[in-house]
């Protein structure tokens, strides 16, 4: 198993190219199930979750060809409508095939994804919405068996909670449904917006893109002609490297980034003392003097993203004063705290709130990654910890970061990937 060995650095310097967004790529790959043509997707990040979903589609009969900087997906030969446990257990976002497969074939079996480290991760809202669209849903032996022999019907869906993949699943199902579907309390994340935009360019009439109320005119089951497209930049990867610049008081420029997707993250970094130079597709963070403490509450987009919470807990250990970070979306997303405490961080947890008192000298040691974003928090801490830090179980990291250690090495970090 791989692990990362990192030394503390004085400062970093240089440019990092941001990859395509994992959380945009996953629904966009699932969307190709609705296509009658070969779809070319560029700017896909080289991360494990994307490979897993492409493998799932291949197992179901699709043809996937890897080109120089893009992937071509042809789901015409797709014939299998069962997403088996062996794949789904490794990536719960496989649930994103449920809506498209059901809409295209009228039946679908998907293994229940189960929870994950950060929480129980229910999918009740996905299933309830599909039932409202006329599907019959049964749970049998750990599988969701969904049927809609006459196709799905447009419905008036009101999500009790804002769900990112739930919104994506229902938007894709609604595209081929009979009649109009309204989704109220829809997720507004940029990843959902891109899915809606590509569907719209494929001939699906969608009103309210980017707002909390989406109105989709279903085409009654006709497959789509989906144009080639490029995946939007990964705002969470970008935010993570901005935190690397902030924690090491460095100047780093991020290229191929979409600044407007990072408003809430940039605002919090500015509150902590960071300054930026921003162009249409780049962000430069300038060396800051002393990090100030911060108050953060994670919420749905456009508010501060839960996927940046762990990174800011690590950053807050280096701020002069007391930071309060509240996690409102997931019930168990503070597993990085115990590992940071082992490095010397002064953090107290009270329910869903972490109180971080800084500035504390961190000491390098062996630490264990527990989930995707916790892994990147440990890397950030390792950049400023005295001595050497070994970060184990980085298969978590590899699910969502494309060549993280190489990108950090490229700006001067002393970090290498080794075998246990
Ligand atoms: C997406 O997960 C992201 N994953 C997550 O990123 C991200 O943390 C999350 O959205 C929130 O932004 C992908 O896009 C692949 P939700 P998702 O459904 O869609 C509750 C990362 O680090 N809920 O928006 O699974 C749920 O328990 C990953 O890249 C229900 O109760 O999250 C949570 O409290 C981690 N019932 C809240 O809604 C449901 O049916 C938000 O979950 C669905 C969700």
């Amino acid at each position: 198993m791989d692990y990362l060995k990192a030394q503390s650095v004085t400062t970093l310097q240089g440019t990092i190219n941001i990859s395509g967004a994992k959380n945009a790529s996953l629904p966009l790959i699932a969307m190709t199930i609705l296509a009658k043509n070969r779809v070319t997707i560029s700017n896909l990040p080289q991360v494990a979750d994307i490979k897993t979903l492409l493998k799932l589609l291949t197992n179901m009969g699709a043809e996937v060809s890897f080109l120089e900087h893009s992937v071509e997906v042809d789901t015409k030969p797709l014939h299998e409508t069962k997403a088996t446990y062996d794949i789904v257990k490794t990536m719960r976002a496989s649930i994103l095939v449920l809506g498209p497969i059901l809409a295209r074939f009228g039946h679908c079996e998907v293994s229940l994804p189960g929870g994950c480290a950060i929480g129980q991760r229910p999918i009740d809202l996905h299933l309830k919405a599909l039932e409202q669209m006329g599907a019959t849903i049964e749970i049998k032996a750990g599988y969701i068996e969904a049927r809609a022999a006459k196709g799905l019907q447009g419905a008036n869906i009101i999500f009790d909670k804002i769900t990112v993949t739930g919104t994506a699943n229902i938007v894709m199902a609604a595209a081929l449904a009979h009649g109009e579907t309204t989704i109220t309390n829809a997720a507004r994340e940029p990843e959902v917006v891109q899915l809606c935009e590509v569907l719209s360019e494929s001939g699906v009439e969608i009103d309210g893109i980017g707002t909390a109320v989406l109105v989709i005119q279903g085409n009654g089951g006709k497959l789509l002609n989906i144009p080639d497209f490029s995946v939007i930049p990964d705002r969470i990867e970008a935010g993570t490297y901005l935190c690397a610049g902030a924690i090491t008081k460095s100047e780093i420029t991020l290229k191929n980034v979409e600044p407007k997707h990072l408003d809430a993250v940039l605002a919090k970094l500015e509150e902590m003392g960071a300054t930026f130079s921003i162009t249409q597709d780049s962000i430069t963070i300038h060396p800051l003097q002393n990090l100030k403490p911060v108050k953060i509450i994670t919420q749905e987009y456009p508010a501060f993203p839960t996927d940046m919470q762990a990174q800011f807990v690590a950053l807050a250990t280096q701020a002069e004063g007391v930071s309060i970070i509240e996690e409102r979306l997931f019930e168990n997303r503070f597993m990085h705290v115990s590992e940071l405490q082992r490095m010397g961080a002064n953090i107290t947890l009270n329910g869903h709130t972490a109180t971080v008192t800084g500035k504390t000298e961190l000491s390098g040691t062996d630490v264990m990654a527990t989930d995707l974003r916790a892994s990147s928090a440990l890397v950030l801490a390792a950049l400023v910890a005295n001595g050497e830090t070994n970060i184990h179980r980085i298969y978590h990291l590899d699910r969502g970061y494309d060549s993280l250690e190489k990108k950090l090495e490229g700006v001067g970090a002393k970090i290498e990937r080794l075998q246990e």
Side-chain angles (χ1 to χ4, degrees), residues 22-24 26-27 49 91-93 95-96 116 118-127 159 161-167 187 189 191 234-236 299-301 305-307 328-331 333 371-373 400:
K22 164 181 84 84
N23 290 347
L26 294 168
D49 274 5
M91 191 200 51
R92 56 179 318 286
I95 194 67
L96 282 164
C116 74
I118 65 175
Q120 195 241 334
R121 309 295 294 276
I123 53 162
D124 57 308
L125 301 178
H126 301 234
L127 303 183
F159 276 132
K161 291 181 83 167
I162 295 171
T163 162
V164 173
T165 50
T167 303
E189 274 68 3
E191 296 76 28
D234 193 317
R235 59 193 168 99
I236 305 302
Q299 295 176 90
E300 294 84 0
Y301 192 89
T306 173
D307 294 350
R328 287 221 176 140
L329 271 85
F330 293 112
E331 58 271 35
R333 202 170 199 177
D371 58 270
L372 170 54
R373 306 303 173 183

